[in-house]
Amino acid sequence: MLRAILLGPPGAGKGTQAAKLVEKYSVPHISTGDIFRKNIKEGTELGKRAQEYMNKGELVPDDLVIEIATSRLLEDDCKDGYLLDGFPRTVHQAEELDKFLQAHGSKLDYAINVAVEKEALITRLTGRRVCEKCGAGFHIVNLQPKVEGVCDECGGKLIQRADDTLETVENRIDVYEKQTMPLIQYYEKAGNIVNVNGDQELDKVFADIVSALGE
């Protein structure tokens, strides 16, 4: 069983590590970002509200995030563990999560922090490109398409997401540092933080996380 949250700045590679972790430990991956993007794509009221904040690189307000994340934890597939990704992002959210878990006779096992320097994050994020047709991901340095600006999968046009422009990326990182970094101190005080160097090969990062959590 694994009951954990995944911390780290935008561009730290949390999505990749989350996919590996949920496969290894057989727990659901609960990404508030994915939930919001689904709502945005479907044009729901929640999606419209979330889109306004995400486009500016700002965090979605606590009340929206707390409601959607905690309700997800009540679903049957979370009985034997889960990996939270994108929640909590503030100390207030963490406190509300702790209260929720305590009320349901549970607790968080680990807070996994994937750390990467700001300069490396900017390079990673501003270089990302996605296919506007099928959603396949590329990078102008690390994962170049065979033909510049064209998706290898479907031939669609590659675009830069609104939240991957330099100005928005810098704002996203600044927001993270101001509002989310205190979480590390919060979980250090709780004694369940696992710090991992995210500026390594993906497999090495994963190996370090597993080593810290145990088989």
Side-chain angles (χ1 to χ4, degrees):
M1 179 183 289
L2 176 69
R3 293 170 297 196
I5 67 169
L6 197 55
L7 298 174
K14 298 191 300 297
T16 300
Q17 298 307 323
K20 290 174 173 287
L21 287 166
V22 298
E23 180 179 3
K24 178 172 180 58
Y25 293 97
S26 299
V27 294
H29 175 212
I30 302 174
S31 167
T32 50
D34 287 347
I35 295 172
F36 283 128
R37 277 188 283 274
K38 181 175 183 290
N39 279 271
I40 288 169
K41 185 176 181 180
E42 295 174 354
T44 66
E45 188 59 36
L46 173 62
K48 292 175 183 176
R49 291 166 63 189
Q51 180 79 79
E52 295 178 10
Y53 296 94
M54 293 171 73
N55 279 349
K56 292 184 288 186
E58 297 176 2
L59 297 181
V60 177
D62 280 357
D63 58 343
L64 286 178
V65 180
I66 292 168
E67 180 180 354
I68 200 168
T70 54
S71 62
R72 176 68 179 86
L73 293 177
L74 293 175
E75 296 183 22
D76 288 342
D77 62 342
C78 294
K79 288 181 178 179
D80 295 323
Y82 48 81
L83 181 69
L84 281 165
D85 179 6
F87 175 84
R89 282 187 173 176
T90 65
V91 170
H92 173 63
Q93 290 179 9
E95 291 171 341
E96 291 300 309
L97 174 61
D98 282 346
K99 290 177 184 176
F100 173 83
L101 293 175
Q102 288 169 8
H104 290 81
S106 183
K107 67 180 181 64
L108 197 69
D109 297 325
Y110 299 102
I112 305 163
N113 176 43
V114 182
V116 182
E117 293 296 324
K118 183 175 182 178
E119 292 74 16
L121 293 171
I122 291 174
T123 298
R124 289 185 185 186
L125 289 170
T126 58
R128 295 198 303 195
R129 299 292 185 270
V130 295
C131 176
E132 63 178 0
K133 187 181 295 185
C134 74
F138 297 87
H139 195 280
I140 60 174
V141 176
N142 302 325
L143 188 60
Q144 298 178 356
K146 295 174 182 176
V147 178
E148 185 177 351
V150 179
C151 175
D152 291 353
E153 303 297 326
C154 72
K157 180 182 177 182
L158 299 184
I159 60 172
Q160 183 180 51
R161 291 192 333 193
D163 55 352
D164 282 343
T165 62
L166 178 60
E167 182 180 1
T168 303
V169 163
E170 290 181 329
N171 187 45
R172 289 170 67 194
I173 296 172
D174 288 343
V175 167
Y176 174 82
E177 291 179 344
K178 291 175 184 175
Q179 298 190 32
T180 312
M181 285 292 281
L183 272 178
I184 296 173
Q185 296 175 324
Y186 179 86
Y187 287 114
E188 282 177 344
K189 186 175 181 181
N192 58 353
I193 190 97
V194 172
N195 290 304
V196 178
N197 176 15
D199 198 11
Q200 310 178 86
E201 291 294 327
L202 295 175
D203 288 344
K204 180 65 169 67
V205 176
F206 180 65
D208 286 354
I209 295 175
V210 172
S211 176
L213 300 184
E215 296 293 336

